[in-house]
């Protein structure tokens, strides 16, 4: 579904990604793990069209590098960005509804049902300003907003960041349910164990390169990998 | 931070000395009144732009109201000469000092503002000065002040038969502002301004007294702008609020530095050398009938330079140098 | 000062203040959206005045009827300015703040020159309209009807702006101003929003210009003074705040009327400038500005 080949990205000369190749199959959860600064966020931003890149990024036969960021979203790719990037002064409801801004048709707000069933807390807080939500609720809202764009591929950048363990479980369960509904998920995570547990396939990124890839369960089992690349 | 004279800085000095020598002899074969006037105005604005550059460029506080200090300098020296018979070379310094005091007085409230709030406040303060001058009859009000002719001499700074001395006055003014800018680039003050400009918070943590260093920039900038105003008044022999305190003049003082490159040593001069003749020529040939064509051209020029050369014309020099050296 | 004079001053301030508020609203909208101060804002107003004048000359129709046409034209002009100039100014890599100032400033000079080229420098005015020279007299307070109409239209335009803020497009505007990068993630084309924002800002000041043209002289320089007042209004109200623009516009109008009454009319702006400086001392980001 998503095929990345020979991807390079740099920030003013500093190379953040070097020849990254990666493949995401439909209906799977693919995890990307790696230490701080490995380039995980840069990878997701590259797919979303937020950084300039070299190489190829093909999504369902479409060359994403030709598209502007907003067209990539319309092509069916949703990103839950690092730091959530909600619209802080707008209400929860407005944040969600804006997710459907570029969608036409009578069913444009249909995903709301799914969002509320995944995260009932959001429904109780519709009128609240996004900035007044707790960290965990903000993460839920960010995922909800991305779901409102009706993506076929959902990318999540460290959804567990700064969230207490109980809520992390909720969010990971939600990600599994999203996969079970037929969406494809590209998940960037620091919490190795949890991520590999729900993922089908995994890539290990180190200083901008893919150093390892395989079935999530195999990667999880390989203690050498964990020590060498993930510092565990 | 020992202010050692690096090789680059020494080279700037040599270039400046050569340029000064050229400029000293340049007007001698030219007797055309119009051309000489063009030279004088260009040099005057080169100095003014450099004075603006101290605050707007090196310290990063984009003032859009510098005609206030220009006007203060012009009024002080003129009124001292007209009413008190004090020679303009003295009045000029007095005017500069009063203008510097004015800049400090303005800076005290205005430097608490940031960004657009600051820029607009500078316009407003200038506009208040303009309105007050317009209505203050003691200093001539809207009808302005004529400077009586008291005999041709350097002491009176009045020359009727030949305007050449004004050329040297303007040249000296521009040279002094350049020298001050050159000195500042290597001085402690210059370093602290650069820090303030880049990041106020970081500057504070480095121990820079932000407010004080802005005030120092304002005072220096205001002083030289005031001196420029005094020279201008003596040169044209007549001042009124519209000619020396207007908002348009404020922009004209800032523009050469912007076009040439803010916060650079040569930018203001380069900008003035391009902008002022272009403006004078276009308004005397194209805009003679007030048909607006000169304004259109002027507007396009400003937009084009801002968009095509956002670092200013001085950056072209860096491009040439790079090509000449064959390496970045 | 009699009670009538007092009322008269208050009413004149109110009438002018509403126009100032609307002029400022367009400026504030664009600033709030993308951090650009449009130094050609007064010139946009001047263009709208000339547009109303020309259409009136050609058709003989009242400016009231021409209002939607001019507003639409101004909308198009705003979009074009964004696409041709501002989008480029936003994409420069050096001195971005300064580039924005001087691009819009150059535009202002260009427009002024262009209008002088087309119309000459002399003062024009629209005469013989329905309301021209009509006044109402309520309890001894003299109400010039063209100004009353103008301020009512400004109030309506303000209501319109607030209504737009409640639509989905309005939410998209707000979202774009809060996080101009993140909106791409939900399929919003930031460039398009910015262009529409410019269109809206220009149309807003255009409405003010048309109504002003009903009782004010028209010349290539008429914008400069209103623009300065608009900058003061916006800074006083707080950049980006619509309510701030309204409140500050009214305050400025009143202060101007009072100063004109107490001091000489030619000094009437000194009062508003002084108030502005005084307020900024205590609230450096204006009355309603975000800190
Ligand atoms: N905007 C930027 N400008 C300059 N360098 C950047 C920028 N963003 C990221 N980098 C650099 O690129 C490299 C990769 O960063 P990236 O954010 O992709 O890492 P990451 O794997 O997401 O790290 P983390 O786990 O801490 O989120 C880092 O060295 C980082 O410093
Ligand atoms: Mg990251």
């Amino acid at each position: 579904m998503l095929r990345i080949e020979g991807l390079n990205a740099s920030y003013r000369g500093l190379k953040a990604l070097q020849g990254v190749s990666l493949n995401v199959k439909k209906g799977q959860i693919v995890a990307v793990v790696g230490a701080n600064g490995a380039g995980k966020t840069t990878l997701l931003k590259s797919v979303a069209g937020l950084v300039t890149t070299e190489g190829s990024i093909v999504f369902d036969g479409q060359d994403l590098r030709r598209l502007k960021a907003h067209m990539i979203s319309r092509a069916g790719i949703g990103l839950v960005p690092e730091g959530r990037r909600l619209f802080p002064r707008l209400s929860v409801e407005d944040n969600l509804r804006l997710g459907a801004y570029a969608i036409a048709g009578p069913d444009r707000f249909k995903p709301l049902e799914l969002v509320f069933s995944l995260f009932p807390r959001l429904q109780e807080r519709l009128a609240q300003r996004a900035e007044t939500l707790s960290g965990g609720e903000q993460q839920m809202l960010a995922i909800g907003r991305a779901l409102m764009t009706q993506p076929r591929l959902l990318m999540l950048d460290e959804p567990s960041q700064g969230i207490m363990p109980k809520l992390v479980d909720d969010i990971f369960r939600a990600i599994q349910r999203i996969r079970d509904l037929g969406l494809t998920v590209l998940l960037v995570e620091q919490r190795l164990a949890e991520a590999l547990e729900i993922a089908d396939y995994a890539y290990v990124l180190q200083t901008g390169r893919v150093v390892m890839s395989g079935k999530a369960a195999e990667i999880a089992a390989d203690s050498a990998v964990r020590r060498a690349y993930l510092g565990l | 931070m020992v202010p050692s004279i690096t090789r680059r800085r020494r080279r700037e000095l040599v270039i400046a000395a050569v340029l000064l020598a050229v400029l000293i002899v340049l007007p001698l074969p030219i007797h055309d009144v119009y051309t000489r006037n063009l030279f004088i105005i260009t040099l005057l604005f080169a100095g003014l732009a450099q004075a603006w550059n101290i605050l707007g460029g090196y310290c990063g506080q984009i003032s859009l109201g510098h005609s206030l200090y220009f006007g203060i300098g012009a009024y002080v020296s003129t009124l001292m000469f007209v009413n008190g018979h004090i020679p303009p070379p003295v009045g000029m310094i007095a005017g500069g000092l009063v203008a510097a005091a004015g800049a400090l007085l303005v800076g005290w409230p205005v430097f608490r503002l940031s960004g657009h709030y600051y820029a607009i406040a500078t316009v407003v303060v200038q506009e208040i000065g303009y309105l007050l001058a317009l209505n203050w009859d003691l200093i001539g009000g809207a009808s302005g002040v004529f400077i009586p002719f008291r005999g041709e001499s350097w002491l009176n700074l009045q020359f009727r038969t030949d305007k050449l001395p004004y050329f040297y006055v303007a040249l000296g003014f521009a040279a002094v502002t350049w020298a001050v800018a050159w000195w500042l680039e290597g001085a402690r003050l210059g370093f602290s301004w650069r820090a303030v400009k880049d990041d106020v918070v970081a500057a504070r943590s480095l121990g820079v007294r932000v407010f004080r260093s802005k005030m120092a920039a304002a005072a220096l900038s205001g002083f030289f702008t005031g001196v420029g105003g005094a020279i201008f008044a003596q040169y044209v022999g007549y001042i009124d609020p519209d000619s020396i305190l207007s908002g348009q003049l404020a922009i004209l003082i800032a523009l050469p530095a912007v076009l040439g490159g803010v916060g650079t040593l040569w930018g203001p001069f380069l900008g003035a050398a391009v902008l002022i003749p272009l403006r004078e020529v276009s308004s005397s040939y194209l805009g003679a009938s007030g048909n607006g064509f000169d304004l259109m051209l002027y507007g396009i020029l400003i937009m084009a330079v801002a968009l095509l050369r956002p670092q200013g014309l001085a950056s072209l020099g860096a491009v040439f140098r790079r090509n000449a050296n064959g390496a970045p | 000062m009699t009670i009538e004079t007092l009322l008269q001053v208050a009413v004149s301030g109110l009438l002018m203040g509403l126009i100032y508020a609307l002029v400022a609203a367009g400026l504030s909208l664009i600033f709030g959206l993308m951090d650009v101060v449009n130094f050609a804002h007064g010139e946009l107003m001047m263009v709208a005045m000339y547009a109303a004048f020309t259409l009136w000359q050609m058709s003989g129709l009242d400016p009231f009827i021409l209002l939607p046409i001019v507003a639409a034209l101004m909308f198009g002009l705003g979009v074009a300015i964004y696409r041709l100039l501002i989008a480029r100014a936003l994409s420069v890599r050096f001195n971005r703040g300064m580039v924005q100032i001087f691009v819009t400033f150059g535009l202002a000079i260009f427009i002024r020159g262009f209008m002088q080229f087309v119309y000459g420098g002399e003062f024009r005015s629209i005469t013989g309209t329905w309301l021209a020279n009509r006044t109402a007299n309520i309890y001894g307070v003299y109400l010039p009807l063209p100004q009353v109409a103008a301020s009512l239209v400004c109030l309506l335009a303000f209501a319109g702006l607030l209504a737009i803020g409640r639509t989905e497009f309005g939410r998209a505007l707000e979202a774009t101003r809060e996080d101009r990068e993140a909106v791409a993630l939900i399929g919003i084309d930031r460039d398009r929003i910015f262009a529409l924002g410019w269109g809206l800002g220009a149309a807003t000041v255009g409405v003010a210009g048309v109504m002003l043209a009903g009782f004010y002289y028209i010349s290539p320089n008429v914008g400069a003074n209103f623009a300065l007042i608009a900058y003061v209004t916006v800074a006083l109200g707080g950049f980006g705040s619509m309510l701030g623009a309204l409140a500050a516009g009214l305050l400025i109008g009143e202060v101007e009327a009072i100063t004109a009454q107490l001091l000489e009319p030619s000094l009437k702006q000194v009062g508003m400038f002084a108030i502005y400086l005084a307020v900024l001392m205590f609230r450096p980001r204006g009355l309603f500005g975000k800190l």
Side-chain angles (χ1 to χ4, degrees):
Chain A
M1 176 171 226
L2 177 73
R3 180 179 286 277
I4 298 174
E5 257 157 43
L7 189 68
N8 293 328
S10 53
Y11 300 100
R12 288 194 211 102
L14 182 136
K15 287 183 182 153
L17 292 179
Q18 303 180 54
V20 169
S21 295
L22 176 152
N23 198 359
V24 180
K25 290 214 181 87
K26 191 165 164 41
Q28 291 197 334
I29 295 178
V30 174
V32 175
V33 294
N36 290 123
K40 306 181 297 292
T41 298
T42 307
L43 176 67
L44 296 193
K45 280 187 159 184
S46 304
V47 177
L50 298 176
V51 293
T52 48
T53 52
E54 297 158 22
S56 100
I57 308 175
V58 178
F59 177 64
D60 277 350
Q62 223 178 343
D63 181 4
L64 293 187
R65 288 187 55 247
R66 290 160 177 268
L67 299 182
K68 286 196 174 176
H70 67 276
M71 291 310 291
I72 290 176
S73 157
R74 293 182 193 189
I77 293 184
L79 170 62
V80 180
E82 193 168 40
R84 293 145 197 161
R85 306 293 285 268
L86 296 168
F87 307 119
R89 292 150 74 92
L90 288 176
S91 68
V92 169
E93 181 169 7
D94 286 336
N95 268 278
L96 287 173
R97 283 179 177 270
L98 271 176
Y101 188 78
I103 308 261
D107 288 341
R108 49 197 297 248
F109 296 121
K110 192 133 183 299
L112 271 179
E113 290 166 27
L114 168 65
V115 173
F116 292 151
S117 83
L118 289 173
F119 308 118
R121 281 166 174 247
L122 290 182
Q123 196 164 15
E124 296 156 18
R125 292 168 171 74
L126 280 180
Q128 212 170 312
R129 276 186 177 199
E131 64 189 354
T132 63
L133 293 179
S134 76
E137 290 160 356
Q138 290 192 9
Q139 191 63 55
M140 294 174 188
L141 180 54
I143 297 174
R145 186 181 70 182
L147 286 173
M148 291 301 294
T149 68
Q150 308 198 2
R152 283 172 289 140
L153 171 67
L154 182 67
M155 305 191 295
L156 300 115
D157 197 342
E158 300 196 30
S160 69
Q161 201 177 36
I163 295 176
M164 65 181 199
K166 161 87 184 52
L167 272 183
V168 171
D169 289 347
D170 286 352
I171 285 175
F172 275 84
R173 253 197 298 283
I175 294 171
Q176 266 178 311
R177 274 189 62 193
I178 289 168
R179 188 254 327 259
D180 295 342
L181 287 167
L183 267 75
T184 309
V185 176
L186 183 56
L187 173 67
V188 159
E189 255 304 334
Q190 295 263 352
R191 286 178 184 254
L192 192 68
E194 287 98 330
L196 292 180
E197 196 174 310
I198 64 164
D200 300 294
Y201 205 83
Y203 289 83
V204 181
L205 219 56
Q206 192 188 34
T207 55
R209 295 174 204 274
V210 174
V211 289
M212 178 100 203
S213 67
K215 293 224 171 78
E218 288 167 10
I219 300 248
D222 190 336
S223 61
V225 171
R226 303 172 50 159
R227 260 197 311 280
Y229 299 123
L230 304 169
L232 295 172
Chain B
M1 276 196 284
V2 184
S4 70
I5 300 182
T6 64
R7 199 196 291 171
R8 188 181 67 78
R9 282 172 56 68
R10 209 177 302 151
R11 195 172 63 206
E12 308 278 21
L13 270 187
V14 173
I15 296 174
V18 172
L19 187 69
L20 187 62
V22 170
L23 282 172
I24 286 174
V25 293
L26 184 69
L28 296 177
I30 299 170
H31 293 284
D32 172 34
V33 177
Y34 180 82
T35 315
R36 274 197 178 165
N37 174 55
L38 202 62
F39 276 130
I40 295 169
I41 294 292
T42 303
L43 280 171
L44 189 63
F45 273 94
L48 287 166
Q50 191 65 274
W52 182 89
N53 193 35
I54 294 173
L55 181 62
Y58 288 117
C59 190
Q61 309 298 306
I62 304 171
S63 161
L64 299 175
H66 251 49
S67 58
L68 179 64
Y69 313 124
F70 184 93
I72 291 177
Y75 271 116
V76 168
S77 91
T78 299
L79 294 172
M80 282 171 77
F81 182 61
V82 173
N83 300 333
H85 291 262
I86 295 165
V90 178
M92 201 155 88
I93 303 300
L97 289 174
V98 177
L104 289 174
L105 205 66
V106 171
W108 182 73
V110 164
F111 283 142
R112 297 176 202 193
L113 307 174
S114 57
H116 299 299
Y117 289 93
Y118 165 79
I120 287 174
T122 62
V123 180
V124 166
V125 173
Q126 166 264 318
E127 207 64 25
I128 291 177
Y130 169 79
L131 289 172
L132 290 180
L134 212 52
N135 288 280
W136 192 0
D137 292 332
L138 259 179
I139 62 167
S143 48
V145 188
F146 271 104
I147 302 175
F149 185 67
R150 296 210 174 117
E152 206 152 307
S153 77
W154 281 91
L155 194 64
N156 288 344
L157 215 57
Q158 286 183 321
F159 310 95
R160 243 186 204 170
T161 42
D162 184 2
K163 300 277 181 193
L164 189 60
Y166 286 119
F167 177 91
Y168 292 112
V169 173
L171 180 61
F173 171 62
V176 169
T177 59
W178 185 91
V180 169
W182 180 88
W183 166 71
L184 284 168
E185 282 202 346
R188 271 266 292 282
L189 209 48
F191 285 108
S192 57
W193 288 342
R194 220 162 299 151
V196 169
K197 183 180 174 179
D198 286 346
D199 186 344
V200 175
V201 181
R204 261 200 201 104
S205 69
L206 287 174
V208 173
R209 291 229 180 94
V210 173
F211 184 71
R212 265 208 193 175
S213 80
K214 284 183 187 175
M215 289 292 258
L220 272 171
S221 183
F223 175 80
F224 286 108
T225 310
V227 171
I231 295 173
F232 177 82
Q234 215 54 29
Y235 175 55
V236 297
Y238 167 71
I239 56 172
D240 71 344
D242 277 309
S243 64
I244 59 165
L245 264 171
S246 72
Q248 281 178 359
L249 177 65
I251 300 295
L252 197 59
I253 292 173
L255 259 185
V258 172
L259 296 191
V262 286
T264 64
L265 195 52
W266 292 103
F269 282 16
L270 207 60
V274 172
L275 179 77
I276 303 299
L278 213 78
R279 204 186 114 88
E280 293 283 317
V281 170
S282 71
S283 66
S284 54
Y285 287 111
L286 298 170
S289 50
N291 62 8
F293 206 76
D294 56 325
L295 288 180
M296 285 163 71
L297 210 69
Y298 183 40
I300 289 175
L301 177 82
I302 296 171
M303 287 188 277
V305 175
L307 285 177
L308 302 178
R309 280 272 120 202
Q311 319 92 301
L313 295 171
S315 65
L316 285 175
V319 175
F320 287 140
R321 220 170 296 145
R322 199 176 310 155
N323 290 346
N325 296 349
Chain C
M1 214 190 282
T2 64
I3 207 87
E4 266 104 51
T5 342
L6 210 65
L7 265 176
Q8 183 69 57
V9 166
V11 168
S12 327
L14 178 74
L15 293 181
M16 224 39 217
L18 281 167
I19 292 182
Y20 291 157
L22 192 63
V23 176
L27 188 67
S28 190
L29 185 126
I30 290 171
F31 174 84
L33 188 58
M34 61 186 100
D35 262 3
V36 171
V37 173
N38 175 18
F39 278 92
H41 198 65
E43 279 62 33
L44 289 180
M45 187 188 89
M46 177 264 283
V47 169
M49 292 175 86
Y50 274 109
F53 173 76
T54 304
L55 289 173
W56 165 76
Q57 249 188 346
M58 278 167 27
S59 66
L61 292 174
D62 200 87
F64 260 121
I65 298 170
L66 299 171
L67 190 62
I69 305 174
V70 176
L73 287 175
M74 292 304 294
F75 187 92
L77 180 63
V79 170
I81 289 174
Y82 175 76
R83 296 271 185 212
L84 291 175
L85 292 175
I86 310 303
R88 273 163 224 222
L90 289 177
S91 68
V92 302
R93 278 197 281 153
F94 302 92
N95 294 333
R96 200 171 293 161
M98 199 167 299
V99 168
Q100 286 160 13
I101 291 181
F102 284 94
V103 164
T104 56
F105 184 75
L107 177 68
I109 294 180
F110 174 80
I111 295 177
R112 225 180 284 167
F114 182 77
M115 286 313 196
Q116 186 143 6
F117 185 68
V118 176
Y119 291 94
E122 59 265 35
F123 287 17
R124 317 254 178 176
S125 55
I126 297 178
T127 52
T129 57
W130 295 332
L131 297 174
N133 303 322
R134 287 207 212 175
T135 56
N137 196 324
I138 300 173
Y139 300 117
V141 176
Y142 157 89
L143 291 173
L145 288 188
Q147 292 202 44
V148 173
S151 43
L152 285 178
V153 168
C154 286
L155 212 53
L156 278 179
F158 237 99
L161 278 181
L162 292 179
I164 288 174
R166 293 178 176 278
T167 63
E168 201 171 359
F169 170 67
R171 297 286 143 85
L173 277 177
E174 173 65 23
T176 308
R177 68 188 272 185
E178 287 184 12
D179 193 332
R180 57 170 80 172
E181 199 179 37
V183 285
L185 300 177
I186 51 174
I188 292 179
D189 181 359
R190 171 183 80 192
D191 247 2
R192 194 179 135 82
I193 297 285
F194 280 174
L196 293 176
W198 269 81
L200 212 52
T204 303
V205 71
V207 168
V210 173
M211 295 320 291
L212 192 66
F215 61 91
Y216 210 84
Y217 73 89
I218 306 168
S219 90
N221 292 323
V222 68
N225 221 356
F226 278 87
L228 182 62
I229 295 175
Y231 301 133
V232 169
T233 307
V234 172
L236 183 59
F239 274 101
S241 162
M242 282 296 139
L243 272 180
L246 183 57
L250 292 176
L251 179 63
I252 293 269
E254 292 297 344
V255 169
E256 181 187 48
I258 293 167
T259 329
Q261 184 70 27
L262 296 179
L263 304 174
E264 283 185 47
S266 57
L267 278 173
K268 65 184 179 182
Q269 292 183 348
V270 171
M272 70 168 87
F273 293 158
I275 289 276
Y276 155 85
L277 287 177
V279 168
L280 284 202
M281 285 311 91
F282 299 102
R283 294 195 58 91
R285 294 189 160 246
L287 294 170
F288 291 77
K290 296 172 266 190
L291 288 174

